[in-house]
């Protein structure tokens, strides 16, 4: 298909498609004449993936390039691809050393130990967790880790098992890498949205439609 | 305390503190002389909250202003505060009407119905979920909703119950609003990080340290 058709199918503007090709996010089309390139379904699929990572995942064009570079490199082990995506997507809480961060690191190490997780304590996800727990401590909610963290971990395990089962049912070797990226980024958006909906539901049950503190009708 | 002490305690530079005051994120200190203002613990606490929302939550200064405006307005019902935070934090997938989005909206409505959630289908979280599911459909994973979504929803319910119990144990009326904001933003960072760690653990168990497809040792 021509670039106009690719644009129509995906809803991505032609100049944007050309920009992605220049930045290496999308392979160039096959030249059919000096001024004309032809694109196929693999371009369409890749373009949709790029848009999902940018629009839903909030990744920068540069970050998408790094993640796709990892996906496209068959020599790169799966966990490194995941690592590349994770590094890009993880909240970057300042690494300023303070007592809260040191304490949070110990909490994370204890969590890993307690649950028997095969996760290096210095992996991006573990460091991001320590950063988030340290931020909670700094705003006066250090007891969160003690009271709630294991229930988060249990929910995360449940989700991870469902994810892996889904991947196992659906994945060829090439699909597998792509799905890790999609699952990491889009799955997170799904989980964040369902958690908010569950909050909204719980809150509606507790407070009804009354403002808090308004008293009973 | 003076602004220098506030800066030292929180690790936030003095010009940044002044910027937050100008933008209305932090109330001005009490003037003790024409050139000198005095700050107290409430300023320190608010400043830590601002930094957590920006650094961990990834909110813009403008978004923090909107969320805090909602927190500081006692007439605003709890669910509207949550709504303000949610609106700001939710991934903004383009609302371009296409068949995928229409189908995803129906899936979300069916989920709400199936689980008996008191959540309006046009709330920001429900719309964000529809956007993420539509994005999955567009990259060829429309069956995700069918196969995995309910397990995400179940995990989200579990986390929401833990969150509400934590809030219930800890909250005065004023704290409650602040905690909703913290829990929405920081809790999400915690959950995302634990999910990645659970993935890493599951993946390490399945693939060991071998690249996928490398065969058994």
């Amino acid at each position: 298909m021509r670039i106009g058709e690719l644009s129509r199918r995906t809803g991505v503007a032609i100049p944007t498609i050309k920009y992605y090709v220049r930045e290496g996010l999308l392979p160039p089309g096959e030249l059919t004449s000096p001024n004309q390139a032809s694109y196929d379904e693999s371009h369409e699929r890749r373009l949709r993936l790029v848009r999902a990572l940018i629009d839903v995942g909030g990744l920068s064009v540069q970050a998408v390039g790094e993640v796709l570079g990892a996906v496209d490199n068959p020599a790169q082990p799966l966990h490194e691809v995941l690592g590349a995506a994770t590094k890009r997507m993880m909240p970057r809480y300042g690494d300023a050393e303070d007592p809260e961060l040191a304490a949070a690191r110990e909490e994370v190490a204890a969590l890993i130990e307690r649950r028997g997780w095969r996760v290096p304590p210095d992996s991006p996800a573990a460091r991001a967790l320590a950063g988030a727990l340290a931020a909670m401590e700094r705003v006066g909610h250090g007891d969160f880790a003690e009271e709630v963290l294991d229930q988060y971990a249990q929910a995360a395990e449940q989700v991870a098992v469902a994810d892996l089962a889904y991947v196992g049912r659906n994945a060829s070797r090439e699909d597998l890498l792509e799905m890790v990226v999609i699952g990491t980024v889009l799955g997170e958006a799904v989980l964040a949205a369902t958690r908010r909906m569950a909050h909204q539901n719980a809150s509606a049950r507790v407070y009804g439609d009354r403002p808090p503190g308004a008293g009973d009708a």
Side-chain angles (χ1 to χ4, degrees), chain A:
Chain A
M1 77 189 92
R2 296 192 186 166
I3 195 168
E5 171 70 8
L6 182 62
S7 167
R8 201 189 56 73
R9 284 198 193 187
T10 58
V12 180
I14 293 178
T16 306
I17 296 177
K18 290 183 174 171
Y19 171 65
Y20 291 159
V21 171
R22 281 200 306 278
E23 294 292 320
L25 303 191
L26 195 68
E30 192 188 345
L31 281 182
T32 53
S33 82
N35 290 318
Q36 190 105 216
S38 169
Y39 299 85
D40 61 22
E41 272 69 29
S42 74
H43 291 93
E44 184 182 339
R45 180 175 177 179
R46 173 55 60 98
L47 186 53
R48 290 184 190 279
L49 176 60
V50 167
R51 291 305 299 189
L53 293 176
I54 290 175
D55 290 341
V56 182
L59 268 68
S60 67
V61 165
Q62 193 202 344
V64 171
E66 290 175 23
V67 170
L68 293 180
V71 168
D72 292 339
N73 179 359
Q76 189 146 13
L78 183 63
H79 65 90
E80 285 185 18
V81 176
L82 182 58
T86 301
K87 200 172 145 194
R88 281 289 147 200
M89 283 295 297
M90 273 288 135
R92 59 281 165 271
Y93 200 76
D95 265 351
E97 275 298 332
D98 61 13
E100 286 83 6
L101 187 58
R105 284 221 192 84
E106 283 179 27
E107 278 161 13
V108 172
L111 176 76
I112 290 172
E113 170 85 24
R114 199 159 61 235
R115 305 202 75 87
W117 280 356
R118 288 174 54 179
V119 174
D122 62 343
S123 68
R127 281 191 286 121
L129 178 58
L133 293 178
M136 286 207 156
E137 170 71 42
R138 289 188 201 104
V139 292
H141 292 288
D143 43 359
F144 177 89
E146 211 168 302
E147 297 189 21
V148 180
L149 186 56
D150 270 275
Q151 301 191 59
Y152 273 61
Q154 198 184 324
E157 282 172 7
Q158 180 180 338
V159 162
V161 167
D163 288 340
L164 273 254
Y166 177 78
V167 167
R169 274 193 298 278
N170 291 279
S172 69
R173 162 84 179 75
E174 192 192 20
D175 282 349
L176 189 62
L177 293 172
E178 192 184 290
M179 286 196 56
V180 167
V181 174
I182 294 172
T184 299
V185 173
L186 296 189
E188 197 153 292
V190 170
L191 185 56
T194 46
R195 172 171 176 264
R196 303 257 174 121
M197 290 167 72
H199 275 166
Q200 208 170 344
N201 171 56
S203 166
R205 288 181 188 283
V206 174
Y207 299 112
D209 297 323
R210 294 169 296 119
D216 289 314

